[in-house]
Amino acid sequence: MCLTIRLCSSSASEDLGCRRGDFSRKHYGSVELLISSDADGAIHRAGRFRVENGSLDEASDYTPGTWRRTDVHLENPEYHTRWYFKYFLGKVHQNYVGTDAEKNPFYLSVVLSDQNNQRVPQYRAILWRKTGTLKISLPYSPTKTLSVKSILSMNDTFYSLSPQDLLVLEEQEGSVNFKFGVLFARDGQLTDDEMFSNETGSENFDKFLNLLGDTVTLQGWAGYRGGLDTKNDTTGLQSIYTVYQGHELMFHVSTMLPYSKENKQQVERKRHIGNDIVTIVFQEGDDASSSFKPSMIRSHFTHIFALVRYNSQNDSYRLKIFSEESVPLFGPPLPSPPVFTDHHEFRDFLLVKLINGEKATLETPTFAQKRQRTLDMLIRSLYQDLMPDLHKNMLNRRSFSDVLPESPKSARKKEEARQAEFVRIGQALKLKTIVRGDAPTSLVTTGLCRKEPWESQSFCSTFPYEIICADSWGQSLLVATDTAGVLMLDETPTLPPVQVFDKTMAVKQMHILEPQDLLITRADKGKDARLYVFRLGGIKRGLEERQLVRSKCDCRENKLEKTKGCHLYSINTHHGSELRIVAAIRTKLLLITRKHPRFSAVATGADSPVEEFQYIREICLCDPPVVMALVDGPTGENDNMICVAYKHQFDLINESTGDAYRLHHVDANRVNFVAAIDVYEDGEAGLLLCYNYICYYKKVCPFNGSTPMIQSNTSDFHFSWNQMPNAIGR
């Protein structure tokens, strides 16, 4: 079997490093190489520093102003490198261990996943070797089985293993979080002893620190600490911390670290800042007085210095970057001149430059060799731990097998139970990593208001009305109440709620679709209930221009007439090409779609979008549904489904034929249906069925023409609540 292997692209910093010379001088200004020597002229170390200042002549006149923003982005981000966490962990996949011709152990992980969220299946594989990890993408063919031997072209014996140790191997690719030094230097200071001996900073320096991040108290700090003491205050009382694009950043600030009058070298401060790969040097004084050189700082570890100076006359920051010569070039390139009058733009630029700089430094021979030695040691150590199991020819490690309480009787059930437990272990590892704050580009659990994933967040602490339903609109919240109509709450708690509809519009359900400029509601009850559709832009204009509060009479043109008597509706959540609505009128389902925008009345500027909707078909059920959800098929042609809940069961209804398939039966005397939520993973559909105290996840895969394959799957699972929820949403 012949397979084409496509390797993961190299990092941007490596690519830049291959194109030095013309590129560097054109985009990075001066790349003068400075020999690193101390104040007496003696060579401190053999390394030389590259200088980036954004212009060839730093002394030339410049006019601060708005500069053309370059492409400021993180290079080689974790979602490119941390494949195992993103694509493998918590999913059914295979991990193998083997030895090469030289008896060096290696590991292989293979998973069938979705290609770029396009619902096209493909194989992803990671080969873990002592020289590093190799990432491979392979095409998927339903008629050809992919084997480990076909990937590696080797006739060897392979054994499956648990994901716990592989997650440790992947973390050698680099940290998710970063620690940076910040050194305050007064005008005229020429040695690191002088700079580290500054007991306090200045007003401009404090202003710069406030721009970098938030001041946090270290004692009891639960976030990323960057090596600082959070128990006994031995490294200071406070520090500067921030979160940028999912990365936690802790700054080692010289004036916040312990100061000693007896120790002129300030060893405690140098112990932290001197061991940072990247250090910011904030130098007081005007531009002409700058005399900083990397040789002033005695450190065998710091590879990058970012020299920052503040100009109070025009409220601007100027930036210069010194990089050790072995560090590959990294972006973003400094503007010419490297002057920033917009402080938030400067912060974005500086943080991206620092993160990219540290990642580029890890590619230098010094750090790459250390990482390779560590990876080799971990691989060999893991292999030695596995040897007892390998000699017994076991398919799984003892630690994995032992978690099963009992061995099922049949081999098939045993394997299904193993896979289910394998998924459970992976999901637990993933959740633990996220909660710990070490997940790649995870914004959920980082920051000053760090919360557990299950903790609620208060939007409005004192709301006097009972809430019927709600949905977010930008940074605001649209809320339907029992007696005050529909109100819009701003995220600013001091602003009063704004009434959008009065109490004559008794809204029971609503959906806000900002990309489509739509508000969909179900209002009133019984025979008078209907679906209404509004343009968000029209509502917003009415509020801004006339403070218009709409009544039921004002909404007559927004009714979808055939929906009279509707007691429930649902919309598809993945409506990239076509919005679909299913309305339940007793035992009848009415399928509605929105016409393609180019055929709609959007261009005409009509106030009501009713004319954009068309009625497709009706489907009859045996009982009125209590809960509904639309499920998108992989092709969208005759394989879209409707999940309905009634009596003691969840059924799937084919939208095109009306055929019903039993999805799940509830074994309980009384059933309180809460929700059915559609979930999509790797091109396959699943449903989270919520009733009583239980949420049951059911995979619906694959679709075979118009018939879904509904059977027990190793991906199925359930969990319970300690109280019965009233509603569950995504």
Side-chain angles (χ1 to χ4, degrees), residues 115-129:
Q115 181 177 352
N116 300 325
N117 298 319
Q118 299 299 317
R119 297 191 182 183
V120 178
Q122 70 167 355
Y123 286 107
R124 280 188 169 91
I126 305 176
L127 180 61
W128 316 81
R129 305 169 297 177

Side-chain angles (χ1 to χ4, degrees), residues 644-699:
V644 296
Y646 40 53
K647 288 189 175 179
H648 284 69
Q649 67 198 54
F650 289 87
D651 283 357
L652 273 181
I653 312 296
N654 186 289
E655 282 188 8
S656 300
T657 64
D659 295 335
Y661 309 92
R662 179 68 56 84
L663 180 63
H664 181 68
H665 180 76
V666 180
D667 294 322
N669 294 328
R670 297 183 62 182
V671 184
N672 177 42
F673 291 110
V674 180
I677 302 173
D678 56 318
V679 182
Y680 304 89
E681 184 177 36
D682 297 335
E684 296 178 341
L687 281 160
L688 190 64
L689 310 176
C690 310
Y691 57 91
N692 294 352
Y693 293 86
I694 296 175
C695 281
Y696 186 89
Y697 177 78
K698 186 80 173 176
K699 182 77 82 172

Side-chain angles (χ1 to χ4, degrees), residues 15 26 145 173 215 223 226 284 371 400 441 452 484 499 572 647 667 670-671:
D15 184 50
K26 181 178 179 181
T145 303
E173 290 187 342
T215 301
E284 289 280 284
R371 286 199 298 164
F400 175 56
T441 57
E452 303 293 356
Q499 191 174 29
N572 60 320
K647 288 189 175 179
D667 294 322
R670 297 183 62 182
V671 184

Side-chain angles (χ1 to χ4, degrees), residues 413-567:
K413 287 186 176 181
K414 184 175 182 179
E415 179 58 27
E416 288 180 352
R418 284 184 184 276
Q419 290 191 18
E421 188 63 18
F422 185 82
V423 171
R424 188 196 67 79
I425 290 173
Q427 290 173 342
L429 280 171
K430 201 164 192 174
L431 178 62
K432 184 178 179 181
T433 306
I434 293 173
V435 171
R436 195 172 64 236
D438 291 334
T441 57
S442 173
L443 288 169
V444 178
T445 57
T446 56
L448 294 175
C449 299
R450 182 174 178 149
K451 290 180 177 294
E452 303 293 356
W454 48 84
E455 285 189 68
S456 61
Q457 184 174 353
S458 176
F459 194 91
C460 179
S461 57
T462 56
F463 192 68
Y465 309 104
E466 181 182 347
I467 298 175
I468 306 301
C469 60
D471 202 357
S472 60
W473 184 1
Q475 299 301 315
S476 303
L477 193 67
L478 204 62
V479 179
T481 68
D482 57 339
T483 58
V486 177
L487 306 176
M488 185 167 66
L489 304 180
D490 193 88
E491 64 174 347
T492 306
T494 56
L495 296 178
V498 177
Q499 191 174 29
V500 180
F501 297 97
D502 65 18
K503 62 182 181 180
T504 61
M505 273 289 282
V507 174
K508 307 298 183 184
Q509 273 183 276
M510 72 165 67
H511 285 90
I512 292 178
L513 308 177
E514 291 188 71
Q516 301 198 31
D517 193 37
L518 279 181
L519 166 64
I520 304 173
T521 67
R522 175 173 64 84
D524 286 328
K525 60 182 180 179
K527 295 181 180 179
D528 294 330
R530 284 185 175 85
L531 294 189
Y532 294 79
V533 289
F534 304 88
R535 293 199 198 284
L536 290 174
I539 295 175
K540 186 176 181 180
R541 284 193 302 272
L543 294 174
E544 291 175 349
E545 297 174 3
R546 303 185 301 276
Q547 291 294 315
L548 176 65
V549 178
R550 300 180 183 224
S551 66
K552 182 179 177 180
C553 294
D554 298 324
C555 302
R556 284 174 292 187
E557 295 182 356
N558 300 88
K559 295 178 183 177
L560 292 179
E561 290 299 335
K562 291 189 178 182
T563 62
K564 184 176 181 180
C566 171
H567 70 276

